[in-house]
Amino acid sequence: MKNQLRGCVRINAQGKNLYRFINMIHNRRMNCFDQYVKKDVFYCEIYRSDIERIYEFAEECEVELRHFEYATLSQRIRKYRRRFGILVGVLAGAIACVYFSSVVVTIDVKGNSRVSTDTILSALEELNVTYGSRISDINFAYCENELRLMVDGVSWAGIRRTGNRIVVEITEIVEKPEMTIERVPCNVVSQREAQIISTSVYDGQLMRIVGDYVMPGDLLISGVIEDSKGHVTKHHAMGAITGIYEETISFTEEFASAVKKPVGNTRTERYLKLFSAEIPLFIGRNEYESYLAEEREQYFSIGEKELPLGIVTRNITETEYTESVFSKEELDLKLQEKIFLYEKNFLSDVKILDREIIKEQKENSLTYTVKYTVEGEIGIQKEIFIK
């Protein structure tokens, strides 16, 4: 094979005027390689561009001619020359490589512990250093100085480029620990109407004992202490005062209410997401007046590194408002769920001793009033104002 870039063809010829055919090739000074005659068959290699003239010689000399083309680069190019998708894909890949090599794809922040990464990224965004920014437009020295001034707690910042990756190295300010000689004087007062069941004083003077009933604002632990000689000292009163108190909460649900219900029509929209931009991959638009939408994002990755390029799939279901009528049993389940969530979110730090549910049914609604008897902390610190 004489040339991998230029197409070569292997031919064999036989016939009664074989040597006349060979002489015609030689007289026309055509390129002919690896030629030999074996058992009255002529073998050689020629360039593909000469194949038509060779066939003309064979027809003139009444020679039977066969040819075989080698798998060269030019042969492959001719084979796929009409497959425009390959060409478009190669061009798109080349453009993507050039584009992603010139813009910021990843920003890594290192060295920060107290200052959050989101705070640093927000400051960089104000300096036009964000995903998709052209690297050639970034003034690294200017951004380093500005970042140190913009973000509290940063004493030094260094920004460097590694390919399409920006690395931000942070050194935080080491603050002196607060040296508190004395705490602010305060009392501990009751924040609820309750009966005291236990007391524990860490600093200050206990003003109530176990079994006492107290009202909101009553003094429990005093931060002002007077000794036997009349000397008054002010303390930061601390302690744990536990009491039993009641708490009441009401929940209401209506028998008839408007709710969104699917009507059966659905639509799927897909977007090509490049950084923060979303490019539609569909035709038309959503014409549903009322709908529910579920969105799912899937990003491409190379190895373990996720690229800022992905597909967003949005499933849209058409809905309409319809009036639904609930039974008493259904409303009971809804109200029980509300009670459970309230106890989980607001009463998790106390001990529930008793729970009484009062049900009140009206023409259009059902109300549950829950009275709790709980055991928990009732004291709260209140600062003593000194003239």
Side-chain angles (χ1 to χ4, degrees), residues 19-30:
Y19 288 96
R20 180 187 171 194
F21 171 74
I22 297 172
N23 291 331
M24 290 182 69
I25 295 176
H26 293 166
N27 292 336
R28 300 303 191 280
R29 298 187 179 278
M30 300 177 65

Side-chain angles (χ1 to χ4, degrees), residues 211-227:
D212 284 356
Y213 286 90
V214 293
M215 302 296 290
D218 284 354
L219 184 61
L220 301 178
I221 304 175
S222 176
V224 180
I225 300 177
E226 183 178 357
D227 61 17

Side-chain angles (χ1 to χ4, degrees), residues 238-298:
M238 293 185 296
I241 308 298
T242 305
I244 296 176
Y245 58 92
E246 293 184 349
E247 187 168 313
T248 303
I249 186 73
S250 294
F251 303 97
T252 301
E253 286 285 347
E254 296 183 352
F255 284 101
S257 61
V259 296
K260 277 186 175 183
K261 284 191 175 181
V263 297
N265 298 326
T266 60
R267 173 184 174 87
T268 301
E269 297 178 350
R270 290 182 175 86
Y271 299 83
L272 177 65
K273 189 166 186 178
L274 179 61
F275 297 104
S276 59
E278 292 186 353
I279 304 171
L281 301 178
F282 58 91
I283 300 175
R285 61 187 183 87
N286 179 22
E287 297 182 351
Y288 300 152
E289 294 183 0
S290 175
Y291 59 88
L292 296 173
E294 294 182 357
E295 191 172 287
R296 184 178 71 257
E297 295 183 355
Q298 184 176 6

Side-chain angles (χ1 to χ4, degrees), residues 104 127-130 133-143 159 166:
V104 178
L127 297 171
N128 295 323
V129 180
T130 185
S133 299
R134 290 183 60 85
I135 297 177
S136 59
D137 295 337
I138 299 174
N139 186 333
F140 290 96
Y142 171 79
C143 292
I159 304 176
I166 297 296

Side-chain angles (χ1 to χ4, degrees), residues 192 194-198 241-246 347-354 372-378:
R192 302 180 182 278
Q195 181 183 16
I196 298 175
I197 61 171
S198 69
I241 308 298
T242 305
I244 296 176
Y245 58 92
E246 293 184 349
L347 299 180
S348 59
D349 57 344
V350 299
K351 181 180 180 181
I352 300 176
L353 302 177
D354 187 35
Y372 293 99
T373 301
V374 300
E375 176 186 322
E377 175 67 36
I378 63 172

Side-chain angles (χ1 to χ4, degrees), residues 103-271:
V103 300
V104 178
V105 175
T106 305
I107 300 177
D108 290 339
V109 181
K110 299 181 178 180
N112 60 312
S113 58
R114 293 187 299 274
V115 181
S116 68
T117 300
D118 291 339
T119 301
I120 296 171
L121 292 177
S122 298
L124 289 173
E125 187 173 355
E126 294 183 20
L127 297 171
N128 295 323
V129 180
T130 185
Y131 302 109
S133 299
R134 290 183 60 85
I135 297 177
S136 59
D137 295 337
I138 299 174
N139 186 333
F140 290 96
Y142 171 79
C143 292
E144 289 171 352
N145 293 329
E146 289 297 313
L147 184 61
R148 180 174 56 84
L149 297 174
M150 293 172 64
V151 181
D152 293 335
V154 174
S155 63
W156 178 86
I159 304 176
R160 57 185 172 86
R161 170 194 177 183
T162 304
N164 56 11
R165 173 171 166 257
I166 297 296
V167 179
V168 183
E169 296 180 348
I170 297 296
T171 300
E172 296 177 329
I173 296 174
V174 179
E175 299 179 354
K176 294 181 179 179
E178 293 185 3
M179 303 298 293
T180 304
I181 299 176
E182 59 180 358
R183 295 189 177 98
V184 177
C186 67
N187 296 321
V188 175
V189 300
S190 176
Q191 60 178 335
R192 302 180 182 278
E193 180 181 352
Q195 181 183 16
I196 298 175
I197 61 171
S198 69
T199 63
S200 180
V201 179
Y202 311 133
D203 193 1
Q205 182 177 353
L206 182 65
M207 305 301 293
R208 298 282 184 165
I209 62 174
V210 173
D212 284 356
Y213 286 90
V214 293
M215 302 296 290
D218 284 354
L219 184 61
L220 301 178
I221 304 175
S222 176
V224 180
I225 300 177
E226 183 178 357
D227 61 17
S228 58
K229 297 182 180 181
H231 296 150
V232 177
T233 57
K234 296 180 176 62
H235 297 252
H236 182 86
M238 293 185 296
I241 308 298
T242 305
I244 296 176
Y245 58 92
E246 293 184 349
E247 187 168 313
T248 303
I249 186 73
S250 294
F251 303 97
T252 301
E253 286 285 347
E254 296 183 352
F255 284 101
S257 61
V259 296
K260 277 186 175 183
K261 284 191 175 181
V263 297
N265 298 326
T266 60
R267 173 184 174 87
T268 301
E269 297 178 350
R270 290 182 175 86
Y271 299 83

